Amino acid sequence: NAGVTQTPKFRVLKTGQSMTLLCAQDMNHEYMYWYRQDPGMGLRLIHYSVGEGTTAKGEVPDGYNVSRLKKQNFLLGLESAAPSQTSVYFCASSYSTGKGPQHFGDGTRLSIL
Amino acid sequence: RKEVEQDPGPFNVPEGATVAFNCTYSNSASQSFFWYRQDCRKEPKLLMSVYSSGNEDGRFTAQLNRASQYISLLIRDSKLSDSATYLCVVFSSGTYKYIFGTGTRLKVLA
């Protein structure tokens, strides 16, 4: 039971570099989410998707882009990484929104130097 | 005022103790409630959903008080393995988003 899988697990980037974080779920969930978690703060929603081909902005979308070309995958892109984007990133999915819980991947620890 | 508020703790309790956490929410249109557990530097894991009538799962009991807009989590007979951060999550139909509290840290001491 893979559930929600995130790759990579760790990454160190230099300021200005780009990268893509991949989230894959095998539960046939419609909804997928990207969060970031910083010390002393709750999880903050970056972007989310309510289905294949659709995405929407969350609470802190600036500096990030996303794509959901396939139902099972949700990609988070950093076009030009900044030190302020150093964080732990969690992907989550849910069968429906609100009626059921979210299931989380084990996170990507990203450091921007 | 934050949409979801929790006492950050830490709550330091001895093994075998009973401990309770509260979480308050500001949006009266909130419709779904959850407790998650998060171990240091790991992903949040669902502990239990919170139902209107209250619900129990082993040593864990969750309650919802809509009138006062809070949910609670009671842990009986605390184990060392219960040491973690407990996150309160609220879903509001108005925003269609899950809102996370910043978590309450629990340390169970031998």
Side-chain angles (χ1 to χ4, degrees):
Chain A
N1 289 337
V4 179
T5 303
Q6 290 184 233
T7 53
K9 299 288 188 287
F10 305 93
R11 188 71 182 268
V12 178
L13 292 178
K14 294 181 179 178
T15 297
Q17 287 185 316
S18 64
M19 78 162 295
T20 300
L21 281 63
L22 171 64
C23 177
Q25 53 95 4
D26 62 2
M27 296 174 283
N28 201 34
H29 285 170
E30 288 292 337
Y31 298 82
M32 298 186 75
Y33 315 81
W34 275 107
Y35 293 90
R36 60 177 290 173
Q37 187 174 35
D38 301 292
M41 305 185 76
L43 276 79
R44 292 183 292 168
L45 183 64
I46 304 171
H47 286 279
Y48 64 101
S49 168
V50 300
E52 181 178 317
T54 69
T55 63
K57 294 180 180 180
E59 183 184 353
V60 288
D62 294 341
Y64 305 95
N65 56 74
V66 288
S67 64
R68 182 110 181 259
L69 299 179
K70 293 183 179 181
K71 185 177 182 179
Q72 63 268 34
N73 296 336
F74 195 27
L75 279 63
L76 178 71
L78 286 74
E79 291 185 344
S80 180
S84 61
Q85 294 176 304
T86 294
S87 189
V88 180
Y89 292 85
F90 289 105
C91 175
S93 70
S94 65
Y95 178 71
S96 64
T97 191
K99 296 180 181 178
Q102 296 173 306
H103 301 266
F104 284 83
D106 55 7
T108 295
R109 283 151 187 79
L110 185 60
S111 293
I112 316 295
L113 304 178
Chain B
R1 181 185 175 189
K2 291 181 180 179
E3 289 188 68
V4 176
E5 294 199 73
Q6 295 182 251
D7 182 341
F11 285 63
N12 296 323
V13 302
E15 266 188 297
T18 295
V19 62
F21 311 134
N22 279 347
C23 167
T24 59
Y25 61 94
S26 60
N27 187 343
S28 59
S30 299
Q31 59 181 166
S32 300
F33 309 88
F34 310 92
W35 282 105
Y36 280 76
R37 170 196 169 121
Q38 185 173 29
D39 293 288
C40 186
R41 299 177 66 79
K42 295 194 174 181
E43 76 275 21
K45 292 184 178 179
L46 178 68
L47 182 64
M48 56 198 308
S49 302
V50 185
Y51 303 119
S52 297
S53 56
N55 47 302
E56 186 175 309
D57 182 2
R59 297 182 293 110
F60 300 86
T61 300
Q63 295 281 351
L64 168 63
N65 186 317
R66 285 194 183 273
S68 300
Q69 295 184 201
Y70 74 86
I71 65 173
S72 63
L73 177 68
L74 180 79
I75 305 175
R76 290 181 298 277
D77 189 23
S78 298
K79 311 291 185 190
L80 293 175
S81 57
D82 293 334
S83 297
T85 296
Y86 291 84
L87 304 175
C88 166
V89 183
V90 175
F91 177 85
S92 296
S93 57
T95 62
Y96 288 97
K97 293 174 186 171
Y98 295 85
I99 307 298
F100 287 76
T102 53
T104 297
R105 280 183 63 198
L106 171 66
K107 292 184 180 180
V108 180
L109 308 172

